[in-house]
Amino acid sequence: MRKNIVAGNWKMNTTVPEGVALAKQVCDDLKGFKANCDVVICVPFTHLCPVNDVIDQAVVGLGAENCADHKSGAYTGEVSAAMVASTGAKYVILGHSERRQYYGETAETLREKVALALENGLTPIFCIGEVLEERENGTFNEVVKAQIVDGLFNLSAEDFGRIILAYEPVWAIGTGKTATPDQAEDMHAHIRAVIADKYGKEVAENTSILYGGSCKPSNAAELFAKPDIDGGLIGGASLKSADFMGIVKAF
Ligand code: 13P
């Protein structure tokens, strides 16, 4: 059975002391009730060690927001999957649209990152999603399918089974414009069908597919009620524990 997951993506927000305080608050708040889903926070590289020191990963899992597409060596400023894993982190977001758009990440570099993440025992949260023009010109299903095929379908079924997918329509990220629950459900069902075509129904049914893009306490329950939406990848609303808890409680 696939898991329901609510994951925060802090992006480039909070200083280390602010991030440590937020993580502690999230962990304490989660201890106050029984969450009906897994909860993960993905934080800047600088925050991984100090945050790991103050949270209980049985309560809230820890992840990075990226990792390098090389194992080690002369890549100034990069952080490898092995380094991320050595902090105690268990997850890594890969292929976020902001990385594809602003840092030129391609399917080829993402295949390397996914392979290195898996080799180092990290669970990739692999992001896909169309831009507004592709939503409007009707090519969104093909665009998202190509991102999955090109980025992930080199994997064995066993390795694919370790991936979490996050559908994030780029036009809904940070814009306050959420995909309607029906739009999101249609895409999630499409993604599951694409996976089933390649790896079979069982693998498809076991894959967690999260929705991301202006997800907040007021719309999370409606989105998560859809049969193929298995949780959320949360940007802005993960930066306040009360908002994040509001989304966790939608399950
Ligand atoms: P917002 O929730 O701020 O729209 O961001 C979504 C996102 O990009 C999560 O990865």
Side-chain angles (χ1 to χ4, degrees):
M1 257 307 275
R2 60 183 182 260
K3 286 181 176 168
N4 290 326
I5 303 163
V6 172
N9 172 12
W10 290 4
K11 308 193 180 183
M12 198 174 71
N13 290 297
T14 75
T15 61
V16 171
E18 288 165 353
V20 166
L22 173 58
K24 223 190 254 175
Q25 185 73 55
V26 166
C27 193
D28 286 350
D29 288 350
L30 282 169
K31 283 179 182 161
F33 63 97
K34 165 97 189 65
N36 289 317
C37 60
D38 285 3
V39 183
V40 175
I41 49 175
C42 296
V43 307
F45 292 133
T46 44
H47 297 37
L48 288 168
C49 283
V51 164
N52 189 42
D53 285 345
V54 299
I55 62 170
D56 175 357
Q57 284 211 55
V59 175
V60 55
L62 180 62
E65 301 174 12
N66 182 28
C67 72
D69 57 342
H70 296 279
K71 221 177 201 144
S72 66
Y75 301 101
T76 302
E78 289 293 295
V79 176
S80 72
M83 292 173 186
V84 169
S86 73
T87 68
K90 305 278 186 257
Y91 299 85
V92 60
I93 296 173
L94 293 175
H96 193 280
S97 61
E98 288 150 16
R99 302 241 24 117
R100 293 178 191 258
Q101 194 179 341
Y102 307 140
Y103 301 96
E105 287 194 355
T106 62
E108 195 185 350
T109 54
L110 287 171
R111 285 196 297 272
E112 297 298 328
K113 292 184 182 205
V114 169
L116 288 164
L118 291 173
E119 245 171 62
N120 285 283
L122 297 170
T123 298
I125 301 174
F126 190 86
C127 302
I128 49 189
E130 80 284 0
V131 298
L132 183 61
E133 190 192 344
E134 294 157 345
R135 171 59 54 177
E136 286 175 347
N137 69 19
T139 58
F140 48 92
N141 280 337
E142 280 69 63
V143 166
V144 169
K145 179 177 178 179
Q147 289 171 338
I148 299 170
V149 170
D150 298 346
L152 295 172
F153 277 6
N154 60 317
L155 295 175
S156 66
E158 194 189 337
D159 280 346
F160 188 87
R162 297 167 58 198
I163 305 283
I164 297 167
L165 283 174
Y167 168 58
E168 301 203 309
V170 179
W171 48 272
I173 296 177
T175 57
K177 228 185 191 184
T178 322
T180 66
D182 286 339
Q183 280 175 324
E185 169 59 21
D186 285 351
M187 178 58 86
H188 283 229
H190 166 66
I191 292 167
R192 213 176 291 288
V194 167
I195 299 167
D197 265 355
K198 168 78 178 171
Y199 293 109
K201 203 169 160 50
E202 196 184 333
V203 171
E205 285 300 320
N206 286 332
T207 303
S208 296
I209 309 174
L210 315 184
Y211 168 80
S214 298
C215 187
K216 44 189 183 259
S218 59
N219 60 24
E222 227 189 333
L223 287 159
F224 298 172
K226 293 292 183 186
D228 288 294
I229 302 180
D230 309 312
L233 183 57
I234 318 301
S238 72
L239 294 171
K240 282 201 186 115
S241 188
D243 291 344
F244 196 50
M245 291 308 125
I247 295 172
V248 171
K249 285 177 182 168
F251 273 119

